[in-house]
Amino acid sequence: MTFIKNIVGKFTGSESKNGWPGLIEAYKKWLPVTSQTPIITLKEGATPLIELLSISKSIGKGVKIYAKYDGLNPTGSFKDRGMTMAISKAKEDGCKAVICASTGNTSASAAAYARRGDMRAFVLIPDGYVAQGKLAQALVYGAEIIAIKGNFDKALELVQKMSKEFPLTLVNSVNPYRLQGQKTAAFEIIDELGNAPDWLCIPMGNAGNISAYWLGFKEYFEAKKSTKLPKLMGYQAKGSAPLVYNQIIDEPKTIATAIRIGNPVNKEKAYKAKAESNGTFDYVTDDEIISAYKRLGKEEGIFCEPASAASVAGLLKYSNNIPENSTIVCVLTGNGLKDPDCAIKNNDASFYTGINPDMKEISKILGL
Ligand code: AN7
């Protein structure tokens, strides 16, 4: 991949096995860091852009669809891009403890980076609505976890208050360093494709990530690293779509617990990005999410979490509107292993249990 060579060529190769130094080091001149900033990194970024061969073929019209598979970050989600920045800056400021509200991925990422930077990590989560893999991570990374009787929006309200009351750095996406780190995903896409895509399809919860991508696409465009800006296609789950209805949802509902958010804090930024990019916000149903989730797995070999599949579900919903010969990137924000319960409940696999270890019996079952 030429872009990895281009970036990595600048480094000694001693930083990690393949020479990738982590996104702050790689994109330093685009980020608010100085020589004084202690860089806390797990070598996040440089995630693969994978062509979706089967889905591109089924849409036809010469369209090329790629997945930006950010589930391959160190803690399994795009949050690591923002967290390396937020935690490094918190460390620079002498912070001893960070706090966040989370539907799961932010808590895993915050805990990993905070502990690596020798800080305490306090996380507030909605009791019973965080996928198993994410909870397992927060526990193992040594977070101090408070599960509240209430949803994400309530938890965010609380941590915003607490960070004003106590000496705690808030690391939700209201922290501006989060978006700075996350904008590097747009840089990577342009570095690899040689230009911006025509559309960027992305799931939205608090709408930090879509806002960050827009920052990144605009900065590279202004620096003449691309000749166009993408249309932002932001998708929410139907039962949890405050940005589609333009109203707060008091009791958001969706199988995609990562984006079960009723009052997005980055609402204004997201609407501005939508207007500037001439984009579209829409919802997808849980059935559409699961259908895209399954297709990604069994046709493309890509396992993402349900919230991430919303980007592909949205693209499929808009397939009649896709311009001929366009290039589209769908952001797969989190790894499928984050939510094993969803995987086990939603698949079309043939799974035979309690079978005797007998070739005759097995071959009969398999129709061989
Ligand atoms: C897999 O972890 O809000 O629109 O607390 O985990 O930037 O909020 C997660 C959000 C998409 C939405 N995909 O991103 C949290 C949290 C996955 C996510 C989103 C999230 P934003």
Side-chain angles (χ1 to χ4, degrees), residues 279-296:
T280 298
F281 288 178
D282 203 349
Y283 63 71
V284 284
T285 64
D286 279 5
D287 284 349
E288 287 168 327
I289 288 174
I290 291 303
S291 155
Y293 170 85
K294 288 190 196 171
R295 269 189 85 174
L296 281 163

Side-chain angles (χ1 to χ4, degrees), residues 107-269:
S107 66
S109 186
Y113 284 82
R115 300 301 298 144
R116 195 170 170 83
D118 196 23
M119 293 172 231
R120 291 175 75 182
F122 303 117
V123 307
L124 265 68
I125 57 171
D127 201 356
Y129 288 93
V130 167
Q132 283 275 317
K134 304 176 189 183
L135 191 58
Q137 288 180 292
L139 292 165
V140 169
Y141 293 140
E144 293 164 69
I145 307 164
I146 310 283
I148 64 156
K149 295 179 206 154
N151 61 26
F152 169 86
D153 303 290
K154 186 71 205 165
L156 185 60
E157 207 182 298
L158 276 163
V159 295
Q160 284 185 295
K161 270 194 208 147
M162 288 178 71
S163 67
K164 291 196 181 98
E165 197 75 24
F166 303 99
L168 300 169
T169 301
L170 184 62
V171 294
N172 281 104
S173 57
V174 284
N175 180 322
Y177 297 121
R178 280 275 312 274
L179 303 198
Q180 287 295 316
Q182 286 171 217
K183 77 184 179 188
T184 59
F187 296 167
E188 288 177 15
I189 290 170
I190 295 174
D191 284 341
E192 187 159 357
L193 293 177
N195 208 343
D198 297 292
W199 288 12
L200 182 88
C201 300
I202 183 168
M204 297 187 297
N206 249 324
N209 211 25
I210 193 169
S211 308
Y213 267 92
W214 190 237
L215 273 177
F217 282 124
K218 280 200 302 190
E219 284 182 19
Y220 253 33
F221 179 73
E222 279 153 25
K224 302 205 163 37
K225 293 221 172 218
S226 63
T227 60
K228 59 186 173 187
L229 286 161
K231 197 188 256 294
L232 297 182
M233 308 295 284
Y235 298 105
Q236 298 201 290
K238 191 175 182 194
S240 181
L243 294 168
V244 177
Y245 300 118
N246 194 16
Q247 70 181 48
I248 295 170
I249 311 292
D250 290 327
E251 287 182 33
K253 288 188 185 73
T254 172
I255 190 167
T257 51
I259 52 173
R260 186 174 165 272
I261 293 172
N263 187 14
V265 280
N266 296 296
K267 174 178 154 181
E268 297 310 326
K269 284 196 192 86

Side-chain angles (χ1 to χ4, degrees), residues 355-365:
I355 307 301
N356 291 320
D358 175 79
M359 187 165 88
K360 250 194 189 153
E361 188 175 332
I362 293 170
S363 48
K364 192 169 164 219
I365 293 170

